[in-house]
Amino acid sequence: MYRSLLVHLDDGEHGAAHAEVARQLARRFGAHLVGLAPVGRMPVSMSFAATAALADAMDAVRARAQRRADDFVADCHAAGLTSVEALADDEDAVVSLVEHAHCSDLLILGQGELPDASIAVEQVVLMSARPTLVLPWAGRVQTLGERVLVAWNGSPEAARAVADAMPLLCQAREVTVMRCEPPGTDLDDLGGLMRERLEALRRWLMWHGVDAQVRLEASTVDAGNELLSRAADLGADLLVMGAWGRPRWTERVLGGATRTLLRSMTLPVLMSH
């Protein structure tokens, strides 16, 4: 069960909608909700005049972040939530989100909310010790977790993602687990072992009260786009998958499916690394 949720507070056009998704999840699980508005650090190697001017600009940025935090708390109280807090953090966005996520059960952020968004979201997902729920930039999240597609490849990342998503899976109306093999794969050549492993996963989910359907398919395109296509076919409103990559600040090496999903998502994606 999610007892503490962390949401990134963004002042962009989708920030309010994403904050509302976080409030709905907090209400659903009776969770404590934390709003985080990172400010960012001021560069240290600058001339005195430039430093003074930047300090004034940073004060303005800090004030806007604090207003976002204060407004978030007020909106939560107006929505009937009482276990809530928010803060403006002087740390850079990626570092701030990763560090604060360590004391939460689930981190929620938008696909395009962070500076240099495609890179920053990848860094957060790969560095965080907690699952990350990434909300799509396009469209509006009407439902979340009613029909769930789980991407399964037998990896530790996939297993962790399923476990991290269990509170949502237990409440879902429909859960489909799909394993996509590379294009051209002859599924008959895989033998019964692959299907036995999928059946073992189905039984494990059943023990948690999740009645899942399992599917083994050969992709016709790359795995990321195959998952997006299947999610659309199923009417899924949540995709659960493991994020593969090297979690180093200076060297981001993501698996193809992970990168495709983070850059082209059409539905919320819960990722764990």
Side-chain angles (χ1 to χ4, degrees):
M1 187 65 67
Y2 302 134
R3 293 303 185 191
S4 178
L5 306 177
L6 175 68
V7 59
H8 174 241
L9 302 180
D10 180 62
D11 59 358
E13 59 179 312
H14 300 288
H18 294 165
E20 178 57 25
V21 172
R23 281 191 288 270
Q24 291 175 5
L25 284 175
R27 185 178 296 108
R28 185 193 305 187
F29 293 105
H32 179 68
L33 181 58
V34 181
L36 180 64
V39 175
R41 288 184 175 181
M42 185 174 69
V44 294
S45 57
M46 301 181 66
S47 67
F48 177 79
T51 299
L54 184 58
D56 291 339
M58 290 299 297
D59 286 342
V61 172
R62 187 175 293 105
R64 288 198 301 271
Q66 187 60 55
R67 284 197 297 271
R68 288 202 305 276
D70 294 341
D71 290 346
F72 174 75
V73 172
D75 290 342
C76 288
H77 288 164
L81 297 178
T82 56
S83 185
V84 60
E85 62 181 296
L87 65 152
D89 185 8
D90 284 344
E91 187 57 89
D92 290 328
V94 171
V95 177
S96 179
L97 286 166
V98 169
E99 290 183 348
H100 283 86
H102 290 169
C103 296
S104 299
D105 296 319
L106 179 67
L107 167 62
I108 305 163
L109 76 159
Q111 176 191 15
E113 288 180 353
L114 301 180
D116 199 0
S118 63
I119 295 175
V121 173
E122 292 170 5
Q123 289 178 332
V124 170
V125 169
L126 292 180
M127 291 298 299
S128 178
R130 297 291 184 264
T132 303
L133 177 63
V134 186
L135 304 176
W137 179 83
R140 191 176 184 87
V141 178
Q142 302 291 345
T143 62
L144 179 67
E146 291 189 2
R147 293 182 176 87
V148 184
L149 175 62
V150 176
W152 182 257
N153 61 3
S155 68
E157 291 85 358
R160 180 175 180 180
V162 174
D164 287 338
M166 196 64 74
L168 287 163
L169 297 178
C170 288
Q171 294 184 356
R173 291 166 50 193
E174 298 178 11
V175 176
T176 302
V177 178
M178 187 172 70
R179 175 163 186 142
C180 291
E181 296 299 324
T185 299
D186 187 342
L187 298 182
D188 292 334
D189 290 344
L190 294 178
L193 180 59
M194 198 69 69
R195 299 182 192 279
E196 289 176 4
R197 289 174 177 169
L198 282 173
E199 176 61 19
L201 174 61
R202 189 195 68 80
R203 290 197 303 271
W204 177 65
L205 288 169
M206 180 184 64
W207 295 332
H208 285 272
V210 179
D211 184 14
Q213 303 295 317
V214 296
R215 298 168 60 171
L216 176 62
E217 298 186 4
S219 303
T220 56
V221 293
D222 63 273
N225 283 301
E226 184 75 19
L227 289 170
L228 289 175
S229 176
R230 290 293 181 266
D233 292 342
L234 294 168
D237 59 7
L238 177 65
L239 174 62
V240 174
M241 66 178 293
W244 179 89
R246 298 183 188 176
R248 291 174 55 182
W249 293 114
T250 57
E251 183 179 346
R252 297 170 300 99
V253 184
L254 283 167
T258 308
R259 175 158 288 167
T260 296
L261 264 298
L262 284 176
R263 297 187 176 185
S264 306
M265 61 172 54
T266 54
L267 74 167
V269 181
L270 189 150
M271 289 185 169
S272 294
H273 175 68

